[in-house]
Amino acid sequence: MIFKFIHSQPISIQLLFMFLAIEFPAEIVLVYVSYYNAENILSKELNDKLQTTYERQSRQITDYFDNQINHINILVQIPDFIRLSRETIQDRTIASDQKPFDPIIKQSFIQYQESFKLANLMIVSSDRRIVFSTDFGMNIDFSQINSENDEIRQLIDRSSIMLQTEFSDFIFIKGRNYPTAFVATPIQEESGRFLGILIAEINNASITSIVNDYTGLGQTGESIILSQIEGKIVSTTSTRFRSLSEDEFSLDASKPLPVDEALQGRFGSGFYTDYRGREVFAYWNYIPALRSALIVKVDKSEAFASIQNLRYILLLIVLATLGIVVLAAFSAANLFSDPIQKLTLAARRLSEGNLDERIILPQRNEIGLLKDTFNQMAENLQKSQKELQNYNIILEQKVKERTHELQKAYNEITLINQEVVLQKNNLESANVQLNNTLEELQSTQSHLVESEKMAMLGQLVAGIAHEINTPMGAIRSSVSNIIINLDSIIHQLPEFFSRLNATEKELFLQLMEIASQKDMSISAREERKYRRELQNQLEETGISNAMDIAEKLVEMGIYENMENYNALYVSSLQKEIFHKAHTLSGIIRSANTINLASDKASKIVFALKNYARKSYSGEMEEHSITQGIDTVLTIYHNMMKHSVEIFKDFEFVEPILCYSDELNQVWTNIIHNALQAMEYKGVIEISVKKVEEKVLISFKDSGKGIPQQIQGEIFKPFFTTKPMGEGSGLGLDIVKKIIDKHQGKIYFKSEVSIGTTFFIELPIVSQMNTTPIMS
């Protein structure tokens, strides 16, 4: 059913279906593969960037934690601090816990805390009692430590037993609305006697400032430190979109949680839904110094924004390619090699005298109409030949009748005057000569008229065949170039575009836009000039392959404002950029060539159809004089395109009543005579003007002119100045009869070595004698 529908459509639709059936699936596969590869590449680049951010922040956090440990170890070795610690422990051991602290001692500890950039400092006695804290709001006492403070108690035990620095996990303590961690180290006198434990609270603000550095994370990226405290996942620092609190850090429990893997010491990356309910791309890993997980993430919508841009670029490429395919399909559909070749072969056989030749084609489109017109023209020629044969028979019969009459008169004269024997003999001799002359005249006239028409037809068909074959060759070559170039470049474009930066992409698209508007009228000499100038410019700037770049740019039609493309000359992808641009512009140039060639062939076919059209009504029709002349000029274009210049001065003249096909024969004979008089080199000036109620048409050539002594003979039948075999002398006789039939006038002016001008006057409104005459 589908094939039946396609076969019933015009050629353009059929060819479009074929092109799309080949090209569209390839486009879909190309877009899918390109988009999939680009997404994988971007995911890898994004993973590397997030991993780099993690490594930077993890290193900074570890360095900060090591500095805190170094500070506290240095602090417990200062004699004055050991003395203050000993006095504080002794004072709180003897005195009551409610006894106020000595302000000087308090201030001394605070100064040490600030000097070493530590958070809260706590002094723990050897009997495990917290006897001093710089943060008085904590109200922590060893006797009050319960299960909620079990981590601090274990920290004190480990440090006092091992006599070394120990640090805790993040915990919640009374007096803090966010998790915190502690570092503990033993306090010993110079003699080695153990006094107690110094506990320093980790400064959460410093860690927060590290993870809140969003360099390289765009507008939605952030880093989060997560710890597991009392069975809950808690953020130990504030984030970009969430303040710090004791609330549990909720994630999508229906999907694997990155923090679980990170807390178990495994790193990874991928997509997941974060605490805001948004899909993000993240990298996660474990930080041993904090015994916590660090997740670096960025919103998927921002991270993969460039994929959206690639999607638009691929869409534009697909649309552009489809446009070129559609254009090529519709352009190529206007002509087909096989029907044209059949038409050319039939025309050649027709010119050889085979008037029974007919063309059989299945098409019912424009080519079918051309076939019908050609067949009609052949029938007309065959009919004209039969009419000429009938005329010859009639003429022969009249000669026979005249001969019979002469013979009868001769017999009568013989009977009346037998004594005039000599006259009788002379009359018999004259009669024989007359018979021979008439027979020769019949043969010569038949041959010359047939020769005249066949010669004109042969020249016409040969010119048309050449004019049609030339654009057909250009179309076949251009279609081949399009297929080859598309096949070689279409699979490389997505990967190629992904390697271009924004500036290179913009300049590349500018090159393609300018190449699509290339001026096709510049000569080869001008192209060589532009190529030399551009090569010199590029060599002056130090471009090594200047000649190759100059040649490609000039072929693309780009030879101005070359400094705008400096970024492409120095690009690492220079050769590939100009090669791709040259190949794509070649597709555009081939499409333009197809358009020009198809327009030229259509113009020839249209002219041939108009020329071959003949009215069988026997009545005059309205016809444009200028259109008829243009039709003949188009048919003779092949003979004039190299060395003959045509100058037209056509005023607007409304269509007149005439026999259009016979007037076309007039224009054909006069233009053909002008070309032969100039030996196909020179100038022909054609003018059409309205003078009162007449149309004045003139044809002026720059030929050798007509000698004065023979100017009165040129309209006589069989008179010709052409060499034997080039003319029958019937052309201008036929022209004059056609003009007389239209009640017009034809006359000329000629000067030897200057040229000849033929003038034709045709009435616009007239009651003409429409009795047909032989032309």
Side-chain angles (χ1 to χ4, degrees):
M1 192 69 180
I2 295 177
F3 288 103
K4 183 177 181 181
F5 171 77
I6 293 175
H7 283 303
S8 65
Q9 299 303 308
I11 294 175
S12 57
I13 302 300
Q14 295 179 17
L15 197 57
L16 178 60
F17 271 108
M18 289 194 319
F19 278 32
L20 291 179
I22 296 173
E23 188 271 346
F24 191 71
E27 289 278 359
I28 296 300
V29 173
L30 173 64
V31 170
Y32 174 78
V33 173
S34 301
Y35 186 84
Y36 178 79
N37 290 339
E39 187 177 40
N40 287 342
I41 293 173
L42 184 59
S43 298
K44 184 178 183 304
E45 292 176 352
L46 184 60
N47 180 77
D48 294 341
K49 181 170 69 174
L50 297 180
Q51 183 178 357
T52 301
T53 302
Y54 160 79
E55 291 172 353
R56 171 174 55 81
Q57 293 182 350
S58 175
R59 183 173 60 254
Q60 292 175 346
I61 291 172
T62 301
D63 291 342
Y64 166 74
F65 199 80
D66 291 340
N67 288 336
Q68 291 287 81
I69 293 175
N70 290 336
H71 288 168
I72 195 172
N73 286 334
I74 293 172
L75 182 61
V76 296
Q77 295 178 10
I78 299 175
D80 185 63
F81 180 83
I82 296 174
R83 178 185 59 79
L84 286 174
S85 299
R86 182 177 60 249
E87 292 176 358
T88 300
I89 292 172
Q90 291 176 353
D91 182 62
R92 302 310 292 178
T93 301
I94 298 173
S96 171
D97 291 338
Q98 283 73 30
K99 177 183 177 181
F101 284 99
D102 185 353
I104 297 176
I105 295 176
K106 289 181 181 180
Q107 188 61 34
S108 297
F109 279 113
I110 291 174
Q111 288 177 354
Y112 279 115
Q113 173 187 333
E114 294 174 351
S115 298
F116 285 86
K117 299 179 181 180
L118 299 171
N120 177 34
L121 293 180
M122 293 183 291
I123 305 297
V124 179
S125 63
S126 58
D127 58 354
R128 311 297 195 270
R129 293 178 62 251
I130 300 175
V131 297
F132 176 81
S133 172
T134 57
D135 186 355
F136 301 101
M138 290 181 62
N139 297 322
I140 297 176
D141 189 279
F142 186 84
S143 61
Q144 298 174 345
I145 294 177
N146 51 29
S147 60
E148 294 179 353
N149 304 112
D150 191 55
E151 183 64 23
I152 296 179
R153 184 175 57 196
Q154 293 178 8
L155 178 66
I156 294 173
D157 290 339
R158 289 197 306 271
S159 181
S160 60
I161 293 173
M162 304 300 295
L163 293 179
Q164 65 183 16
T165 302
E166 296 286 339
F167 57 92
S168 71
D169 295 333
F170 281 93
I171 60 173
F172 288 108
I173 61 173
K174 183 179 179 181
R176 294 284 187 273
N177 63 348
Y178 55 86
T180 185
F182 297 88
V183 178
T185 189
I187 304 173
Q188 295 176 293
E189 293 187 75
E190 294 180 356
S191 61
R193 187 170 69 88
F194 175 78
L195 294 177
I197 301 296
L198 171 62
I199 300 177
E201 184 180 350
I202 296 299
N203 192 338
N204 241 15
S206 298
I207 299 176
T208 299
S209 66
I210 292 173
V211 297
N212 286 348
D213 179 8
Y214 308 126
T215 302
L217 297 181
Q219 300 297 319
T220 60
E222 62 178 352
S223 300
I224 306 175
I225 296 179
L226 298 174
S227 298
Q228 188 170 7
I229 304 176
E230 300 174 4
K232 298 188 299 182
I233 302 298
V234 178
S235 174
T236 58
T237 60
S238 61
T239 68
R240 192 172 196 169
F241 305 105
R242 187 177 188 271
S243 59
L244 189 62
S245 70
E246 290 187 17
D247 296 338
E248 182 175 358
F249 201 87
S250 62
L251 297 171
D252 188 353
S254 64
K255 298 179 181 180
L257 300 180
V259 67
D260 293 337
E261 291 188 9
L263 290 175
Q264 294 175 15
R266 296 194 300 268
F267 68 90
S269 62
F271 296 99
Y272 77 97
T273 303
D274 70 354
Y275 62 90
R276 298 172 297 156
R278 295 187 180 182
E279 189 170 10
V280 298
F281 186 90
Y283 178 89
W284 55 84
N285 206 340
Y286 184 71
I287 303 179
L290 296 183
R291 299 173 184 169
S292 302
L294 174 59
I295 298 178
V296 184
K297 64 186 182 67
V298 65
D299 285 4
K300 180 182 179 181
S301 59
E302 179 184 8
F304 290 85
S306 59
I307 291 295
Q308 186 68 25
N309 295 333
L310 177 60
R311 185 182 304 164
Y312 293 145
I313 292 174
L314 290 173
L315 179 60
L316 289 175
I317 293 174
V318 170
L319 292 178
T321 306
L322 288 176
I324 292 173
V325 170
V326 171
L327 179 61
F330 279 101
S331 297
N334 291 325
L335 293 172
F336 272 117
S337 299
D338 185 57
I340 296 301
Q341 290 175 357
K342 289 183 178 179
L343 177 61
T344 303
L345 180 59
R348 185 179 297 113
R349 292 176 178 173
L350 190 65
S351 67
E352 293 171 354
N354 185 8
L355 299 182
D356 293 328
E357 182 68 21
R358 297 294 184 271
I359 301 175
I360 300 176
L361 293 175
Q363 286 86 347
R364 289 293 179 267
N365 47 33
E366 294 83 357
I367 294 179
L369 180 60
L370 177 61
K371 175 263 296 183
D372 294 338
T373 303
F374 182 90
N375 289 341
Q376 189 64 56
M377 181 181 68
E379 289 178 5
N380 293 340
L381 289 173
Q382 192 175 38
K383 183 177 180 181
S384 297
Q385 187 187 45
K386 290 180 179 179
E387 290 176 353
L388 184 59
Q389 290 174 351
N390 293 333
Y391 176 79
N392 290 336
I393 293 172
I394 293 172
L395 182 60
E396 191 174 60
Q397 183 65 33
K398 287 183 178 181
V399 170
K400 288 181 179 180
E401 292 175 356
R402 182 59 177 166
T403 303
H404 180 71
E405 291 174 358
L406 290 174
Q407 184 67 41
K408 183 178 180 180
Y410 171 75
N411 292 333
E412 291 175 353
I413 292 172
T414 303
L415 293 174
I416 295 171
N417 192 10
Q418 294 194 3
E419 48 223 45
V420 188
V421 178
L422 182 60
Q423 284 186 348
K424 173 179 172 289
N425 294 332
N426 291 336
L427 286 175
E428 287 178 348
S429 176
N431 186 46
V432 171
Q433 292 179 359
L434 180 59
N435 286 334
N436 292 335
T437 301
L438 288 174
E439 290 176 358
E440 291 176 1
L441 178 60
Q442 291 174 356
S443 176
T444 301
Q445 183 179 9
S446 175
H447 174 75
L448 290 176
V449 171
E450 186 67 17
S451 175
E452 179 76 15
K453 290 191 174 183
M454 295 307 295
M456 295 294 294
L457 181 61
Q459 293 174 354
L460 172 67
V461 172
I464 292 172
H466 179 80
E467 285 293 294
I468 292 179
N469 282 332
T470 298
M472 281 301 300
I475 290 174
R476 286 194 294 268
S477 176
S478 299
V479 169
S480 176
N481 288 338
I482 290 175
I483 294 173
I484 293 172
N485 288 335
L486 279 177
D487 185 63
S488 65
I489 197 173
I490 195 169
H491 301 290
Q492 304 172 9
L493 280 179
E495 189 272 337
F496 167 69
F497 270 106
S498 67
R499 292 189 286 131
L500 298 180
N501 58 40
T503 301
E504 292 171 342
K505 288 179 182 177
E506 182 179 356
L507 292 178
F508 183 86
L509 294 177
Q510 288 180 10
L511 288 177
M512 297 311 304
E513 180 178 359
I514 295 174
S516 67
Q517 303 170 1
K518 178 182 178 182
D519 183 4
M520 303 296 290
S521 64
I522 66 170
S523 64
R525 178 180 296 178
E526 290 175 317
E527 285 194 353
R528 289 194 296 271
K529 175 186 174 184
Y530 288 135
R531 185 160 52 244
R532 287 194 300 270
E533 292 176 353
L534 180 54
Q535 181 178 347
N536 292 336
Q537 288 181 349
L538 295 176
E539 288 177 348
E540 289 176 358
T541 59
I543 304 301
S544 59
N545 55 339
M547 183 175 68
D548 181 62
I549 295 176
E551 183 175 357
K552 283 184 170 63
L553 288 175
V554 171
E555 287 183 8
M556 292 165 63
I558 301 172
Y559 20 72
E560 294 179 351
N561 302 322
M562 305 313 301
E563 64 278 0
N564 295 342
Y565 308 105
N566 289 336
L568 298 183
Y569 302 149
V570 299
S571 171
S572 60
L573 301 174
Q574 178 213 83
K575 290 185 179 179
E576 190 171 358
I577 288 173
F578 286 107
H579 174 72
K580 294 291 189 300
H582 180 263
T583 302
L584 285 175
S585 68
I587 296 174
I588 297 174
R589 291 195 300 275
S590 296
N592 290 336
T593 300
I594 291 173
N595 276 336
L596 292 175
S598 61
D599 288 343
K600 182 177 180 181
S602 296
K603 185 176 181 182
I604 292 297
V605 171
F606 180 76
L608 178 61
K609 181 180 70 176
N610 288 341
Y611 184 82
R613 184 180 65 84
K614 182 175 181 179
S615 173
Y616 293 94
S617 64
E619 298 180 356
M620 290 186 173
E621 299 176 337
E622 286 192 346
H623 177 68
S624 171
I625 297 297
T626 57
Q627 181 180 350
I629 295 174
D630 282 333
T631 296
V632 176
L633 290 175
T634 300
I635 293 175
Y636 275 95
H637 174 72
N638 183 53
M639 299 180 181
M640 300 184 295
K641 64 183 179 181
H642 296 298
S643 302
V644 178
E645 293 186 79
I646 302 295
F647 293 98
K648 297 187 292 185
D649 181 14
F650 291 173
E651 293 183 358
F652 173 76
V653 179
E654 62 270 19
I656 67 171
L657 285 172
C658 64
Y659 301 103
S660 59
D661 51 340
E662 294 184 6
L663 286 183
N664 282 343
Q665 190 173 355
V666 171
W667 317 139
T668 300
N669 279 311
I670 293 178
I671 292 174
H672 187 260
N673 286 344
L675 291 172
Q676 288 184 324
M678 298 188 305
E679 296 181 351
Y680 300 96
K681 295 180 182 179
V683 177
I684 297 179
E685 300 178 19
I686 307 174
S687 172
V688 179
K689 297 182 180 180
K690 181 179 179 182
V691 180
E692 296 179 351
E693 295 301 320
K694 297 180 180 180
V695 180
L696 177 61
I697 307 105
S698 66
F699 297 82
K700 181 181 180 181
D701 64 63
S702 60
K704 53 190 175 183
I706 304 173
Q708 183 69 31
Q709 61 271 22
I710 65 171
Q711 290 185 6
E713 307 290 328
I714 66 170
F715 288 115
K716 293 183 178 180
F718 308 111
F719 177 82
T720 180
T721 60
K722 301 172 185 175
M724 181 67 67
E726 292 190 12
S728 63
L730 294 175
L732 289 178
D733 175 58
I734 295 173
V735 167
K736 189 173 186 307
K737 288 181 180 179
I738 293 174
I739 299 302
D740 291 341
K741 181 178 178 179
H742 286 79
Q743 297 182 8
K745 294 181 181 180
I746 180 169
Y747 52 94
F748 66 92
K749 293 180 181 179
S750 181
E751 295 183 45
V752 177
S753 301
I754 294 179
T756 304
T757 304
F758 276 87
F759 299 92
I760 299 173
E761 295 181 3
L762 295 174
I764 294 179
V765 179
S766 176
Q767 296 297 327
M768 300 182 185
N769 178 15
T770 58
T771 302
I773 62 174
M774 186 186 71
S775 56

